[in-house]
């Protein structure tokens, strides 16, 4: 039987209870003032101020609007990072009478990151109160620009992950009912990469194509050829996606353009598959373009690897979740083909990213993440706080 001593356990519950209202208020404050990816100034300032008030050593503007806050325990030990993303989405929140609404036109916390900030600050508050019962260093990491998969890499380049031994983080998940927690070792979310292909030919007269090299025809062949990477080269048992989402080039019907630009994305559930897909996009595009007498230049625009939880750390979280909501409310998560650049932190230190149920199906159909009707049941917040605290305490000993 592993677990916390009875006195630590009851203190933990009391402290989580004590933070309950503040966590809800924080979530509402962040929800009212959503900030888009890369513009998280007020949210970062709120997180930094709270951490400073709690006695953390705070670094701001870490790789953009990132905040890194450290608190030392009573004795030396490992460093545990709790990571929360802070950004909102360019979505106009639905006017359905919900009590807490975005006060910014065209922006909304439609993915639950407001709750992530609030829960992580709540966990920081609880662990500050219990500082005498743990060893090591607690690091809270508030990350900007998750939705554009461009926040973690600059934070890491600025030193956010230095010395970190373990990483834990939550994604609130509305398709899962509030009261449940889902965790799994291995892949939780897929990779998500974006790329640009610039197909160059030689412009000319639309009536005399033999005097030009037509990049529109070459680009069309590239788009079709890329589809065979998944259909002909990828195991039917390995989920993979190659999508070209935008084709742009040319001006009018009788002018052969010089260039066509293709923008696309790839998704995979394994690191090796991710790398292979991107490599093959480049190879196929340049080979097919060359066959048409054109060139294709590949550029990787942004991306993140699959979100992979370490088996031992997933077990730490599973135990923490069982202690919080009971064995019968803890599920094995299923992999989901969305991305999250928490993956970059998890690649550097063993950790676990897990799902805390935030939906309330009895109140009607749950609106998907990223939609105008998205909402969370705030009862999920103390569950997230307690699970995070228990997971952190498991390591901070
Ligand atoms: Zn999202
Ligand atoms: Zn999200």
């Amino acid at each position: 039987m592993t677990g916390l001593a009875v006195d630590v356990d009851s203190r933990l519950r009391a402290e989580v209870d004590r933070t309950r209202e503040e966590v809800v208020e924080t979530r509402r404050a962040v929800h009212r003032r959503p900030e888009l990816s890369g513009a998280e100034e007020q949210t970062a300032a709120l997180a930094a101020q709270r951490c400073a008030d709690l006695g953390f050593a705070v670094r701001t503007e870490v790789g953009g609007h990132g905040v890194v806050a450290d608190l030392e325990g009573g004795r030396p030990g490992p460093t545990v990072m709790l990571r929360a993303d802070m950004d909102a989405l360019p979505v106009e929140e639905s006017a359905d009478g919900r009590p807490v609404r975005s006060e910014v036109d065209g922006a909304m916390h439609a993915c639950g990151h407001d709750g992530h900030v609030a829960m992580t600050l709540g966990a920081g508050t609880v662990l500050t109160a219990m500082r005498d019962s743990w060893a090591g260093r607690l690091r809270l990491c508030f990350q900007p620009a998750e939705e554009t998969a461009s926040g973690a890499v600059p934070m890491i380049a600025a030193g956010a992950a230095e010395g970190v031994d373990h990483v834990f983080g939550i994604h609130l998940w509305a398709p899962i009912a509030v009261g449940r927690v889902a965790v799994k070792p291995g892949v939780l979310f897929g990779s998500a990469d974006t790329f640009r292909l610039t197909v160059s030919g030689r412009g000319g007269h639309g009536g005399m194509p033999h005097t030009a090299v037509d990049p529109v025809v070459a680009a069309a062949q590239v788009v079709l050829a890329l589809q065979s990477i998944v259909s002909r080269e990828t195991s039917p048992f390995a989920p993979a996606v190659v999508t070209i989402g935008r084709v742009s080039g040319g001006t009018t019907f009788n002018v052969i353009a010089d260039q066509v630009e293709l923008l696309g994305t790839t998704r995979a559930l394994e690191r090796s598959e991710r790398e292979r897909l991107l490599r093959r996009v480049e190879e196929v595009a340049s080979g097919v373009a060359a066959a048409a007498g054109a060139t294709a230049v590949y550029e990787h625009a942004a991306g993140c690897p699959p979100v992979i939880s370490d088996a031992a750390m997933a077990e730490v979280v599973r135990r923490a979740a069982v202690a919080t909501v009971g064995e019968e409310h803890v599920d094995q998560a299923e992999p989901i083909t969305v991305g999250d650049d928490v993956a970059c932190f998890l690649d550097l230190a063993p950790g676990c990213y897990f799902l805390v149920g935030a939906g309330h199906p009895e109140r009607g159909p749950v609106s998907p993440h990223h939609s105008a009707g998205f909402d969370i049941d705030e009862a999920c917040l103390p569950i997230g706080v307690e699970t995070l605290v228990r997971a952190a305490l498991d390591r901070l000993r």
Side-chain angles (χ1 to χ4, degrees), residues 82-372:
L82 306 182
R83 176 273 197 184
D85 43 13
M86 302 190 283
D87 51 336
L89 286 155
V91 173
E92 178 74 27
E93 190 164 32
S94 71
D96 55 5
R98 58 183 67 196
V100 187
R101 292 196 75 239
S102 165
E103 292 169 4
V104 179
D105 289 342
M108 174 192 175
H109 271 289
C111 201
H113 301 186
D114 47 349
H116 302 172
V117 172
M119 290 185 295
T120 302
L121 284 169
T125 306
V126 171
L127 287 163
T128 302
M130 300 180 70
R131 195 174 179 178
D132 56 354
S133 61
W134 52 269
R137 174 186 296 146
L138 173 67
R139 174 168 298 175
L140 305 186
C141 171
F142 299 91
Q143 187 211 297
E146 184 283 320
E147 295 290 359
T148 52
S150 55
V153 168
M155 281 198 84
I156 289 165
E162 263 163 38
V164 170
D165 295 294
H166 300 293
V167 179
F168 296 108
I170 289 177
H171 209 303
L172 292 174
W173 206 246
I176 298 175
V178 70
R180 307 195 74 84
V181 175
V183 54
K184 86 182 272 300
V187 177
L188 179 65
F189 293 167
S191 63
D193 288 277
T194 59
F195 61 85
R196 178 195 317 271
L197 290 167
T198 306
V199 181
S200 301
R202 196 174 63 245
H205 196 297
M208 303 174 71
H210 59 292
T211 65
V213 175
D214 189 348
V216 170
V217 173
Q221 288 171 347
V222 167
V223 170
L224 291 177
L226 292 178
Q227 294 311 305
S228 64
I229 296 173
V230 172
S231 68
R232 302 289 83 187
E233 298 180 8
T234 303
S235 161
F237 299 102
V241 176
V242 176
T243 290
I244 298 294
R246 197 176 89 169
V247 179
S248 48
T251 51
T252 188
F253 68 95
N254 60 356
V255 173
I256 292 175
D258 282 317
Q259 264 183 3
V260 170
E261 186 190 76
L262 307 175
L263 294 182
T265 183
T266 56
R267 309 291 166 109
L269 291 186
E270 282 173 34
R271 289 189 187 98
S272 59
E273 279 295 277
R274 175 203 187 203
E275 280 151 26
R276 186 183 64 84
L277 289 179
L278 291 171
R279 194 186 72 242
R280 290 296 290 151
V281 165
E282 178 168 15
E283 289 170 357
V284 169
S286 73
V288 168
T295 60
V297 174
Y298 164 92
E299 262 175 279
H300 183 245
C304 55
V307 173
I308 298 176
S309 294
D310 174 79
M313 294 306 108
E315 179 54 24
V316 166
V317 168
R318 200 194 62 80
R319 285 199 304 263
V322 165
T324 302
V325 293
E327 185 106 48
E328 68 280 20
H329 298 117
V330 179
D331 302 310
Q332 168 95 0
E334 294 289 332
I336 304 169
T337 52
V338 298
D340 192 313
D341 62 359
V342 71
C344 301
F345 292 106
L346 291 169
D347 265 8
L348 296 175
C352 178
Y353 203 53
F354 60 103
L355 304 175
V356 170
H360 203 128
E362 292 100 82
R363 289 188 197 152
V366 171
S367 297
H369 285 251
H370 293 202
S371 75

